Amino acid sequence: MTGKIKRNGLSAWIGMALAMGVAPLAMAAPDTATVWNGKVAPLATPWTAEVSPKNALPEYPRPQLARPSLEQPRWMSLNGVWQYSAADGKGAPPFNQDLKDQVLVPYPIESALSGVQKHADDMFYRRMVDIPADFTTNGQHVRLNFGAVAQDATVYVNGRQVAKHTGGYTSFSADITQALHAQGPQEIVVAVHAPVDSANVMVGKQRLKPEGIFYTAASGIWQSVWLEPVPAASLAQLDFTAVKSLDAFTVTTKIDGTGAGATLKVTAYADGKQVGEASGPAGKPLRLPVAHPHTWSPQDPFLYTFKATLTQGGKQDEVTSYAGLRTIAIAKVGGKNRIVLNGKPTFLLATLDQGYWPDGIYTAPTDAALKFDIQKTRDFGFNTIRKHIKVEPARWYYWADRIGMMVWQDMPSLPTGRNDALSATDKSGFRADVTSIVGQLKGHTSIIGWIPFNEGWGQWSIPAAAELSAQIKQLDPSRIVDARSGLNCCDTKGDPKAGDVYDVHDYQGPGLPTPDATRASMDGEHGGLTLGVPGHVWPNTAINPYGDVKDAEALNAGYVANTAVLRDKGPGKGMSGSVYTQITDVEGEHNGLYTYDRKVEKVDEARVREINEATIRANDGP
């Protein structure tokens, strides 16, 4: 998010706030709470007090590949208290020795919920684990899984390196079988390097010195960690993509271990009844027809469930998965390029969703909290979320799939202000991270499009947006690509004349772009009406004044009037979508429909839903 406000330091923010009659600093005492080790959260959510070492995100973290089922997964969560110490990046890993501090995994170290509440560029995590005896019987292997670690992670088991991963937004795993002792506790040590914006890596909105539209960093282990027993050859990923005729899925897989000679059988179920089956050599695409096809849409987020069995040498790996049957594309409707869902013109009315939490920063305190923002977006009458410059844990997309929210997935950006200084290594690293993120997320039905660049942040040239758009299209031809959101703002301005969407940003807006000869059009960001609620704002932070309103009634009226422009003028332009900024306040930004702590709904839900639904109806026609 952004808009027209310049980013010239704290004094500029304070000056602009005072000029607009807005208090530059939060004066009211925030609603705080102590966490598990006695530290105080600067701002507590309704879920802060529910978090403890015994229930740190205990839900199974990978719903699309549950082994053997999501209802009864066979796994061992390693979320909870680990030993921890900051480091200098030079010393050897601390094997066979206790570390001086503790951290609650999987909350980033800067968060109150982690118990550390302080950044370190380098750190060590350590935990002793007793692995269940039945995890290693009958020739089974043990895999150690990480949802995400920011930024670089090296993992050791009993002093032996088992994994090295770069990239703060992607999952990774390791077969640790050969490193295990025959009996007794097993030592896991994770060394992490977290430069945040001091290096040219994907960081999104994280900053070591947060201000304005940039926020507190989130370093270290910030998604779930777990163990599971698997056969020597096991399914690492299982993706289902609807064919254009909407009567079958294309099934693709990735396999851990050697898949030579392995076969795969997949059975589809609708409401518990078998509706399709396919089998063939593992690692090659399968076509899985379904009887009486039932499509997925926000109005009817129907999901098929699947049982898949990988067989090799008498050993079987059984998993369950799910997916919705839907297509997304650009098509001529009334002579104009429009976004079509399942072949029908559909207006994507979205909120900007940044995925920040005052108690957990990048990590929602609980699974109920993770679901909350998506459900409230649905309740407000939106049908789409723009997941802004961040990748979420798998369970976030699971809830979007189930609740019925379409998702624009941004790529986390490189740090701003360095476009002209990016090296060939920086650029290749970004391209590689984009490839990894698309590969990891492309199985999620809710994701309908990719956005590689926002307002030119980290975009080293105008053609770079076209290059990344082509890269993504090659990786995933089943979705649309918005090559650059906000081509009229703010860094490396210019139209790459590529991708599927012509996207402008307009605060307060909304912008009303017209489709061109090859692309649909949308307003990628607008709105941003600002209303702070005393006692529910991030403390000691300058306010970013997008558009101040005096009270809740003015906010309601302003939102309705702003959205009515899309209702009344969007159809004539042939627009395909818009993104309102934003679903919740975030640190110094007070332009949410909810406060940052999710305790105050600042707008009238019924009024917002009424204008939103009317806007979608008006724009869904030819």
Side-chain angles (χ1 to χ4, degrees):
M1 145 177 349
T2 49
K4 303 171 183 176
I5 297 174
K6 300 294 184 181
R7 308 169 185 85
N8 295 326
L10 188 59
S11 60
W13 295 104
I14 295 174
M16 292 183 70
L18 290 172
M20 297 184 68
V22 180
L25 297 176
M27 298 299 182
D31 187 356
T32 59
T34 56
V35 299
W36 61 277
N37 67 344
K39 287 186 178 289
V40 177
L43 189 64
T45 70
W47 306 276
T48 305
E50 297 179 17
V51 178
S52 75
K54 293 184 179 180
N55 71 337
L57 295 175
E59 295 80 12
Y60 185 72
R62 193 186 54 205
Q64 276 204 317
L65 193 70
R67 184 177 280 113
S69 71
L70 187 56
E71 293 73 27
Q72 293 183 313
R74 192 176 178 209
W75 70 306
M76 178 183 179
S77 176
L78 296 185
N79 292 348
V81 174
W82 289 51
Q83 295 178 17
Y84 169 85
S85 70
D88 60 8
K90 300 176 183 177
F95 302 136
N96 301 312
Q97 55 184 292
D98 289 334
L99 306 184
K100 62 179 181 177
D101 299 315
Q102 291 185 321
V103 61
L104 186 60
V105 169
Y107 302 99
I109 59 169
E110 295 86 351
S111 71
L113 288 177
S114 75
V116 178
Q117 221 168 348
K118 184 179 180 180
H119 174 74
D121 283 358
D122 296 278
M123 66 205 83
F124 290 112
Y125 292 75
R126 179 177 182 266
R127 178 165 175 171
M128 301 301 294
V129 177
D130 288 310
I131 295 178
D134 64 350
F135 275 30
T136 56
T137 58
N138 298 319
Q140 293 181 113
H141 290 227
V142 179
R143 293 202 73 87
L144 173 59
N145 304 290
F146 292 83
V149 181
Q151 161 72 23
D152 305 318
T154 306
V155 184
Y156 305 87
V157 174
N158 297 324
R160 178 173 174 175
Q161 182 177 317
V162 296
K164 190 174 181 65
H165 181 78
T166 296
Y169 296 93
T170 46
S171 62
F172 63 98
S173 74
D175 185 336
I176 65 171
T177 311
Q178 296 303 314
L180 297 177
H181 295 321
Q183 58 186 2
Q186 317 288 338
E187 181 189 51
I188 301 175
V189 172
V190 184
V192 180
H193 177 56
V196 194
D197 58 319
S198 66
N200 293 329
V201 296
M202 278 189 172
V203 291
K205 290 220 175 176
Q206 301 178 73
R207 293 295 183 270
L208 292 173
K209 295 181 179 179
E211 64 175 357
I213 62 169
F214 299 107
Y215 319 130
T216 303
S219 305
I221 299 172
W222 68 276
Q223 291 186 28
S224 290
V225 187
W226 75 101
L227 293 167
E228 62 182 336
V230 299
S234 61
L235 289 164
Q237 191 164 333
L238 189 62
D239 294 330
F240 298 85
T241 304
V243 301
K244 291 182 179 180
S245 56
L246 286 169
D247 59 358
F249 291 95
T250 299
V251 186
T252 56
T253 59
K254 292 181 181 178
I255 297 173
D256 284 325
T258 302
T263 59
L264 179 69
K265 178 182 177 181
V266 184
T267 307
Y269 298 86
D271 296 324
K273 297 180 180 179
Q274 183 175 329
V275 293
E277 188 175 277
S279 60
K284 294 185 178 180
L286 296 178
R287 181 183 173 89
L288 176 59
V290 291
H292 312 296
H294 188 160
T295 57
W296 180 99
S297 69
Q299 298 79 18
D300 181 18
F302 180 82
L303 296 171
Y304 288 89
T305 56
F306 306 96
K307 291 184 179 180
T309 303
L310 180 73
T311 303
Q312 184 193 54
K315 300 288 186 179
Q316 292 188 331
D317 183 28
E318 296 182 350
V319 303
T320 60
S321 188
Y322 73 87
L325 193 65
R326 68 109 189 92
T327 58
I328 193 81
I330 306 295
K332 291 285 186 183
V333 179
K336 296 179 179 179
N337 282 313
R338 296 281 302 281
I339 294 175
V340 293
L341 175 70
N342 301 330
K344 299 177 181 179
T346 301
F347 190 79
L348 278 60
L349 187 73
T351 58
L352 199 77
D353 184 327
Q354 312 211 52
Y356 273 79
W357 299 85
D359 47 10
I361 310 299
Y362 247 26
T363 307
T366 68
D367 194 58
L370 191 70
K371 179 183 177 183
F372 178 84
D373 287 3
I374 304 172
Q375 185 62 60
K376 291 310 302 184
T377 304
R378 175 79 274 177
D379 295 345
F380 281 131
F382 297 93
N383 62 7
T384 307
I385 289 170
R386 181 178 173 197
K387 178 45 62 178
H388 195 40
I389 319 188
K390 182 195 178 192
V391 173
E392 292 285 359
R395 288 194 68 90
W396 188 92
Y397 301 97
Y398 165 72
W399 286 120
D401 294 339
R402 285 194 62 181
I403 291 169
M405 294 300 297
M406 294 181 286
V407 174
W408 284 107
Q409 179 61 54
D410 286 13
M411 294 297 155
S413 63
L414 299 174
T416 50
R418 306 175 194 170
N419 290 2
D420 295 336
L422 295 174
S423 68
T425 300
D426 298 333
K427 298 171 188 177
S428 64
F430 182 78
R431 292 188 185 101
D433 283 344
V434 168
T435 293
S436 297
I437 290 169
V438 171
Q440 177 172 310
L441 298 182
K442 67 180 182 180
H444 286 285
T445 304
S446 54
I447 298 176
I448 52 81
W450 308 101
I451 302 177
F453 290 111
N454 174 73
E455 296 184 348
W457 299 359
Q459 184 184 328
W460 50 91
S461 68
I462 293 175
E467 294 165 9
L468 267 294
S469 176
Q471 174 182 326
I472 293 171
K473 273 289 190 180
Q474 185 173 13
L475 294 166
D476 179 17
S478 72
R479 289 182 175 85
I480 54 180
V481 179
D482 180 350
R484 179 198 164 119
S485 187
L487 56 85
N488 58 322
C489 176
C490 294
D491 302 335
T492 315
K493 292 182 184 178
D495 183 359
K497 302 186 187 302
D500 300 305
V501 182
Y502 182 95
D503 175 331
V504 301
H505 291 183
D506 190 349
Y507 288 97
Q508 303 302 304
L512 298 168
T514 302
D516 65 15
T518 59
R519 295 173 292 182
S521 68
M522 65 180 283
D523 178 324
E525 290 182 26
H526 73 281
L529 301 172
T530 296
L531 178 66
V533 179
H536 298 274
V537 298
W538 190 247
N540 305 315
T541 301
I543 295 172
N544 179 5
Y546 272 75
D548 186 38
V549 295
K550 63 179 182 179
D551 54 27
E553 176 54 37
L555 178 60
N556 275 287
Y559 179 82
V560 171
N562 186 272
T563 306
V565 176
L566 293 166
R567 178 196 64 192
D568 299 338
K569 297 184 178 181
K573 294 288 187 177
M575 287 177 62
S576 284
S578 65
V579 181
Y580 182 80
T581 304
Q582 58 185 321
I583 184 61
T584 74
D585 298 348
V586 183
E587 297 198 5
E589 297 189 27
H590 299 172
N591 48 12
L593 303 179
Y594 258 85
T595 54
Y596 190 23
D597 58 9
R598 278 75 167 176
K599 290 184 176 179
V600 179
E601 186 174 288
K602 294 195 281 182
V603 292
D604 183 307
E605 185 175 304
R607 289 179 66 183
V608 170
R609 183 171 60 248
E610 181 180 20
I611 187 63
N612 282 351
E613 291 176 346
T615 300
I616 292 171
R617 285 195 304 269
N619 285 276
D620 273 0

